[in-house]
Amino acid sequence: MSRTDLSEYIGREFETNKSGKCFVVDCKNVKSVIVMFYDGYTTTTQMSNLKRGSVRNPYHENNKLYGVGITDIAGCINGKRDYLYRVWESMITRCYSEKYQQQYPTYREVSVCERWQTYSLFKEDLEKMKCFDKLGVGYHLDKDLIKQGNKVYSPDFCAIVPEVMNLSVVKPSKLSNDLPTGVHFCKRERKYVAQVHRGNGQEGLGYFETPEQAHTAYIKAKRRYLSHLSTEYRGVVDDKVCDALLVRAV
């Protein structure tokens, strides 16, 4: 079919399966047809896709992940989801999936900034982050090391950090609501035990006569460890992460 034959399609409106209506802007050939949706989104497709209604507008509500996430560039490589896309998809899921939030209620108050709701912009920002080459290999995207209690995934407060650093600021589960963090009672010794999380395991800090003594030992050990991590990873991760650890170590 020649360009002259295709000219009759210019300006013609087509209905898509999931993205509403679009119209033809230009036709170079049957494999290069430029269409525009009524929200202004423009893409190039094949005439066969256009006639089948399979042209997709990532900004249409029907195509947004949980009504929020915009997959504006391919997230798959050779038919498999790219790792970075899975990180983005997981972030959107944690913040906007009702099923996920029923299982993990703490995420009901967490959101994703408007910029990162679009996959290409999320990808652009992460590729500029320190330690991007380590992401997924012992390193993770963290949202609240730089700003304690942060509830928004954004380039301002997120960083790529080693798992050991991420685990270092997670409060250990309390074995008893009557005892302070990092403390439990040993029935055999009839004394209180303090433990602090270091690396991939717990470090015992000894036995104490009172829970207050044990908790003091826990706080001191925790601060020493955070200070150690700040020094060890200075120059490796974002400096703001190390600065934040030092603040918590005071």
Side-chain angles (χ1 to χ4, degrees), residues 175-189:
L175 298 179
S176 170
N177 292 329
D178 299 327
L179 295 176
T181 302
V183 178
H184 70 270
F185 185 70
C186 177
K187 292 183 179 180
R188 186 189 64 184
E189 299 292 334

Side-chain angles (χ1 to χ4, degrees), residues 86-120:
R86 283 188 278 128
V87 171
W88 177 78
E89 184 181 47
S90 177
M91 176 184 69
I92 296 293
T93 300
R94 288 194 297 273
C95 296
Y96 299 102
S97 165
E98 291 184 7
K99 183 177 180 180
Y100 186 92
Q101 291 179 359
Q102 285 175 358
Q103 188 174 0
Y104 302 99
T106 54
Y107 273 92
R108 290 174 180 167
E109 299 178 1
V110 181
S111 62
V112 177
C113 73
E114 184 175 354
R115 177 175 173 82
W116 277 13
Q117 290 173 12
T118 300
Y119 175 55
S120 65

Side-chain angles (χ1 to χ4, degrees), residues 56-74:
R56 180 178 175 276
N57 177 357
Y59 298 92
H60 193 279
E61 291 300 319
N62 290 340
N63 298 316
K64 290 182 179 180
L65 183 62
Y66 295 107
V68 174
I70 300 170
T71 308
D72 59 329
I73 60 173

Side-chain angles (χ1 to χ4, degrees), residues 213-232:
Q213 291 173 339
H215 185 57
T216 297
Y218 164 78
I219 293 296
K220 288 181 178 179
K222 183 86 169 182
R223 288 174 175 172
R224 283 196 303 271
Y225 184 52
L226 293 180
S227 182
H228 162 73
L229 287 176
S230 176
T231 300
E232 181 180 1

